[in-house]
C-alpha cells in the first residue's frame, strides 16, 4: 500500500524530454555551465553567432556539424540546422558547449520573433542594430547586465529575455500565485535574482526551460547547444516540456508523514484544563507549510480567492457570488467534518451525533457498522474525546491532484474514563498510534473537504473523498501547561 501511494504522481516524460535528460547526463563535465541534472532549454529561433558570424553568416558550413553526435542537444541542433535556422562553423564543427554572449542570444531571440534587423550603418559596430531593436521591444532594459553586448549570458537572464519575447509573441503573463509553490520546488530559488524570478518561473511553467533534480542553476552560463534547445521550443510548441511530466525535474516528491507520538512537548498557557490557543499565530504557522506535498505534481492549484475567480465549467456558477457560496460551503462542511470525527464528547445527544456522522460519512454498509461501533464505545464510556480544529479559509486550496484541501491544526485529548487513546491513520493500512489518556496533543493535517461534481449533475458528493481521509503534516505533539 505504501509503495503504491508513494508511486502517485509519477508520469512518464515525453520521449524528447527523456532523451534530452539522458543525453545531458552523459555530457562531459568540463565546466559548470549547467549541472548534469539540468536540461538547459532556450528560446525560439536561430543560432547565435559570434561577431564574425553575425556579420558574415555565409562563413558557416551547410552540412550537419561533426561534433554533435551523442551530445544531449543533438536532436535540437539537428532540427534547427535542417530548418536552415542555424549552421556550424567552416571547419564542420558546431561547438555546442561554447558559451554565448548577450548580443548573440538577443540576435537569436529577435529571429524567433520574426524580427528582421538591418545591418550596421556607417559608423556603427555590428552589434548596435541588434541591441537597439532589443531595447525598443523591451527585451532588455537600461541598467541590466544583458545590455553589455559581449558579456556571457546566464540562464536566469536568458529566461527573462525569452519571457519578455513570449509576452510579445504569444501574450503570456506569469501569474504570481504560483511563486510560493515554485519556491518550494526549486531548491536553489534563493539564487535567482528577484528581478528575474517571474521570467524564470514562467519559462519553467511553459516548458521552455526545465530543471532537473529540482535545481535551476540560475547563474550558469548559456551554451550554444543549450540555446538550440530553448530556441527550438520557442519555435515549436510541441517540443516544449510539460512540467507535469518531468520526473525529478520541476516536480516535488515527498512521502506521506507517518506520525508518531513526539518526545518533545510544547508549553502553552492553560485555562480550566484546556490549552489557550493563539489562533492567529497558529494560522500563520500553517500558512508556511508547503502545498501539494503528497501529490508530486506542479499543475494548477488555487487558494481561496484564486479558486473562486478561476473559470468554472458548471451551469449556474458563472458569477462570483455563486462560486463563493459554494466554496464557503465546502470549507464549512470540512470544518464540521473534522469536528464530528474528532469530537466524541457528545454523550448527552448521541442521536444528533450519529446523524452528523452518517451525513458526513455518506455511509455504505461498512461505514454504518463503524458508526454503530463508535456509538457503542461512547455509550459504554470506553471512548471520550474532546478536540478543537483551528483553520481559516485562507488555508483552503485546490491541490494539483484536483482535490480540495483544508489545512488545520487539531488539538485533542482522550479523557478519563476513556479506555482507548488510538489514532487510526486513514491513508495507511493497519497503522494505529497509541497515545496517553488525559494528555493534550496537537497535529497539523490537511483534510479533504469535498468533491466537485456539479458538472456531472451532482449537487454534492459526500462519499468521494470521505471526510475521514486526512494527510498528516506533523507528529502528534504533546501539549503541556506553561502556567
Amino acid at each position: 500500500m505504501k509503495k503504491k501511494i508513494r508511486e502517485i504522481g509519477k508520469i512518464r516524460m515525453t520521449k524528447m524530454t527523456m532523451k534530452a535528460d539522458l543525453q545531458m547526463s552523459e555530457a562531459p563535465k568540463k565546466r559548470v555551465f549547467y549541472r548534469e541534472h539540468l536540461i538547459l532549454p532556450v528560446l525560439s529561433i536561430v543560432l547565435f553567432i559570434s561577431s564574425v558570424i553575425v556579420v558574415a553568416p555565409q562563413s558557416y558550413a551547410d552540412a550537419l556539424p561533426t561534433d554533435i553526435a551523442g551530445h544531449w542537444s543533438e536532436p535540437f541542433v539537428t532540427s534547427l540546422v535542417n530548418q536552415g535556422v542555424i549552421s556550424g562553423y567552416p571547419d564542420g564543427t558546431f561547438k555546442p558547449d561554447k558559451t554565448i554572449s548577450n548580443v548573440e542570444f538577443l540576435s537569436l531571440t529577435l529571429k524567433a520573433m520574426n524580427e528582421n534587423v538591418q545591418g550596421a550603418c556607417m559608423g556603427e559596430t555590428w552589434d548596435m542594430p541588434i541591441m537597439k531593436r532589443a531595447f525598443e521591444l523591451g527585451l532588455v532594459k537600461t541598467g541590466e547586465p544583458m545590455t553589455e553586448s559581449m558579456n556571457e549570458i546566464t540562464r536566469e537572464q536568458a529566461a527573462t529575455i525569452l519571457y519578455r519575447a513570449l509576452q510579445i509573441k504569444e501574450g503570456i503573463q506569469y501569474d504570481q500565485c504560483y511563486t510560493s509553490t515554485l519556491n518550494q520546488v526549486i531548491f536553489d530559488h534563493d539564487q535567482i535574482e528577484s528581478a528575474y524570478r517571474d521570467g524564470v518561473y514562467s519559462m519553467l511553467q511553459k516548458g521552455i526551460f526545465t530543471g532537473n533534480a529540482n535545481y535551476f542553476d540560475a547563474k550558469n552560463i548559456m551554451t550554444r547547444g543549450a540555446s538550440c534547445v530553448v530556441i527550438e521550443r520557442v519555435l515549436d510548441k510541441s517540443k516544449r516540456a510539460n512540467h507535469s511530466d518531468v520526473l525529478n525535474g520541476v516536480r516535488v516528491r515527498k512521502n506521506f508523514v507517518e506520525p508518531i507520538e513526539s518526545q518533545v512537548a510544547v508549553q502553552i498557557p492553560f485555562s480550566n484544563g484546556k490549552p489557550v490557543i493563539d489562533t492567529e499565530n497558529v494560522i500563520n504557522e500553517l500558512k508556511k507549510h508547503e502545498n501539494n506535498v503528497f501529490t508530486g505534481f506542479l499543475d494548477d492549484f488555487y487558494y481561496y480567492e484564486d479558486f473562486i475567480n478561476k473559470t468554472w465549467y458548471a451551469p449556474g456558477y458563472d458569477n462570483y457570488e455563486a462560486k463563493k457560496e459554494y466554496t464557503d460551503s465546502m470549507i464549512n462542511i470540512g470544518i464540521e467534518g473534522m469536528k464530528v470525527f474528532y469530537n466524541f464528547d457528545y454523550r448527552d445527544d448521541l442521536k444528533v451525533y450519529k446523524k452528523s456522522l452518517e451525513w458526513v460519512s455518506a455511509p455504505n454498509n461498512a461505514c454504518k457498522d463503524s458508526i454503530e461501533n463508535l456509538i457503542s464505545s461512547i455509550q459504554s464510556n470506553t471512548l471520550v474525546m474532546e478536540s478543537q480544529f483551528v483553520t481559516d479559509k485562507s488555508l483552503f486550496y485546490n491541490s494539483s491532484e484536483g482535490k480540495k484541501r483544508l489545512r488545520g491544526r487539531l488539538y485533542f485529548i482522550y479523557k478519563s474514563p476513556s479506555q482507548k487513546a488510538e489514532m487510526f491513520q486513514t491513508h495507511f493500512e493497519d497503522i494505529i498510534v497509541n497515545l496517553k489518556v488525559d494528555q493534550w496533543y496537537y497535529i497539523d493535517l490537511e483534510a479533504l473537504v469535498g468533491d466537485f461534481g456539479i458538472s456531472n449533475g451532482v449537487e454534492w458528493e459526500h462519499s468521494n473523498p470521505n471526510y475521514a481521509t486526512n494527510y498528516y503534516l506533523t507528529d502528534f505533539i504533546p501539549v503541556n501547561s506553561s502556567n
Side-chain angles (χ1 to χ4, degrees):
M1 179 69 175
K2 295 181 185 177
K3 182 177 180 181
K4 289 181 180 179
I5 292 173
R6 288 171 179 152
E7 290 298 315
I8 291 176
K10 290 190 175 180
I11 304 175
R12 62 181 181 83
M13 295 185 291
T14 60
K15 292 181 179 179
M16 182 65 73
T17 304
M18 182 178 292
K19 183 175 181 182
D21 275 332
L22 294 174
Q23 288 170 337
M24 193 178 70
S25 69
E26 298 169 358
K29 304 178 179 63
K30 294 179 181 178
R31 177 177 177 182
V32 191
F33 295 145
Y34 46 82
R35 297 190 181 184
E36 62 178 341
H37 56 258
L38 270 181
I39 297 176
L40 303 178
V42 194
L43 193 303
S44 36
I45 216 177
V46 256
L47 137 112
F48 19 78
I49 23 203
S50 67
S51 58
V52 174
I53 296 166
V54 171
V55 294
Q58 67 273 13
S59 65
Y60 276 103
D62 295 327
L64 285 176
T66 59
D67 60 344
I68 62 170
H71 193 272
W72 57 269
S73 66
E74 178 184 1
F76 300 93
V77 174
T78 300
S79 175
L80 292 184
V81 169
N82 287 336
Q83 294 177 63
V85 173
I86 56 176
S87 55
Y89 289 96
D91 63 359
T93 64
F94 185 79
K95 298 180 176 58
D97 294 322
K98 183 180 178 182
T99 61
I100 184 172
S101 68
N102 290 317
V103 67
E104 291 165 352
F105 190 81
L106 284 167
S107 177
L108 289 175
T109 302
L110 290 168
K111 292 175 183 177
M113 298 172 68
N114 294 321
E115 290 282 335
N116 294 316
V117 180
Q118 299 297 319
C121 299
M122 184 70 68
E124 290 184 330
T125 57
W126 66 269
D127 59 317
M128 290 179 67
I130 298 170
M131 299 304 297
K132 179 181 178 182
R133 187 56 180 153
F135 267 108
E136 290 173 347
L137 292 172
L139 300 182
V140 294
K141 300 176 181 179
T142 302
E144 292 181 330
M146 297 90 84
T147 61
E148 298 294 331
S149 62
M150 297 306 170
N151 284 359
E152 295 174 328
I153 190 168
T154 65
R155 282 172 55 79
E156 62 182 356
Q157 293 164 0
T160 298
I161 287 174
L162 295 187
Y163 172 53
R164 294 167 179 171
L166 287 180
Q167 283 181 305
I168 299 170
K169 183 179 173 69
E170 298 179 9
I172 69 168
Q173 187 65 41
Y174 174 66
D175 188 341
Q176 293 185 344
C177 76
Y178 297 110
T179 298
S180 60
T181 293
L182 283 159
N183 281 345
Q184 298 157 17
V185 173
I186 305 304
F187 295 161
D188 59 347
H189 68 88
D190 57 339
Q191 300 301 308
I192 303 171
E193 297 289 340
S194 59
Y196 304 143
R197 183 163 284 114
D198 284 6
V200 169
Y201 283 176
S202 176
M203 292 300 93
L204 283 171
Q205 285 187 315
K206 294 299 181 183
I208 303 299
F209 278 79
T210 63
N212 206 343
N214 299 93
Y215 288 88
F216 181 73
D217 286 343
K219 301 297 189 289
N220 281 0
I221 305 300
M222 290 295 294
T223 64
R224 287 165 53 82
S227 298
C228 285
V229 175
V230 294
I231 293 300
E232 176 78 344
R233 287 172 172 164
V234 169
L235 290 172
D236 187 347
K237 290 184 178 180
S238 69
K239 301 292 179 63
R240 297 178 186 180
N242 184 337
H243 57 262
S244 66
D245 285 348
V246 181
L247 183 62
N248 295 324
V250 294
R251 293 173 57 189
V252 63
R253 184 66 193 143
K254 296 213 173 183
N255 294 327
F256 285 107
V257 172
E258 303 180 32
I260 60 174
E261 182 179 8
S262 174
Q263 299 302 306
V264 179
V266 299
Q267 309 291 322
I268 63 176
F270 269 56
S271 177
N272 297 322
K274 300 180 181 181
V276 178
I277 300 168
D278 185 341
T279 301
E280 183 178 354
N281 184 60
V282 169
I283 291 173
N284 287 334
E285 289 181 11
L286 288 166
K287 284 180 179 179
K288 296 177 182 177
H289 201 283
E290 54 198 349
N291 294 319
N292 296 317
V293 66
F294 304 119
T295 67
F297 293 93
L298 231 190
D299 289 336
D300 293 351
F301 71 93
Y302 305 90
Y303 288 105
Y304 179 76
E305 287 292 338
D306 298 313
F307 181 73
I308 294 173
N309 289 320
K310 79 180 184 74
T311 301
W312 289 33
Y313 299 98
Y317 291 86
D318 54 359
N319 61 78
Y320 180 88
E321 289 74 20
K323 292 189 289 186
K324 181 179 184 300
E325 181 180 1
Y326 179 80
T327 303
D328 287 342
S329 74
M330 281 197 294
I331 295 172
N332 292 333
I333 291 171
I335 294 172
E336 179 65 20
M338 295 300 296
K339 176 182 176 182
V340 169
F341 280 115
Y342 291 104
N343 191 342
F344 303 145
D345 200 7
Y346 286 138
R347 286 169 293 171
D348 293 336
D349 198 349
L350 284 178
K351 289 184 179 180
V352 172
Y353 181 52
K354 181 178 179 180
K355 185 177 180 180
S356 297
L357 276 172
E358 290 174 344
W359 182 79
V360 173
S361 303
N364 51 33
N365 289 332
C367 192
K368 288 180 180 179
D369 292 340
S370 298
I371 290 175
E372 290 297 335
N373 291 335
L374 178 60
I375 295 297
S376 177
S377 296
I378 294 172
Q379 287 176 319
S380 60
N381 282 342
T382 61
L383 180 60
V384 182
M385 185 179 182
E386 182 179 347
S387 68
Q388 181 174 346
F389 185 56
V390 180
T391 189
D392 182 77
K393 61 185 178 183
S394 64
L395 297 171
F396 165 86
Y397 74 98
N398 189 47
S399 74
S400 60
E401 64 178 347
K403 303 294 186 182
K404 287 64 171 177
R405 296 184 175 197
L406 183 64
R407 185 175 303 159
R409 178 170 294 176
L410 177 69
Y411 291 86
F412 64 93
I413 182 174
Y414 290 93
K415 302 189 296 185
S416 300
S418 181
Q419 299 174 26
K420 291 183 179 180
E422 298 176 343
M423 293 296 282
F424 175 71
Q425 299 181 40
T426 57
H427 49 264
F428 294 110
E429 289 182 345
D430 304 323
I431 296 181
I432 296 177
V433 181
N434 292 301
L435 302 172
K436 299 181 182 68
V437 175
D438 295 326
Q439 169 67 61
W440 277 96
Y441 294 91
Y442 83 76
I443 186 167
D444 293 341
L445 53 82
E446 287 182 354
L448 300 184
V449 296
D451 184 51
F452 183 62
I454 295 177
S455 58
N456 298 321
V458 180
E459 181 178 356
W460 189 263
E461 175 58 63
H462 300 289
S463 58
N464 184 22
N466 188 294
Y467 290 97
T469 302
N470 302 317
Y471 298 125
Y472 297 113
L473 307 179
T474 65
D475 287 333
F476 297 100
I477 312 295
V479 179
N480 294 333
S481 174
S482 61
N483 53 337

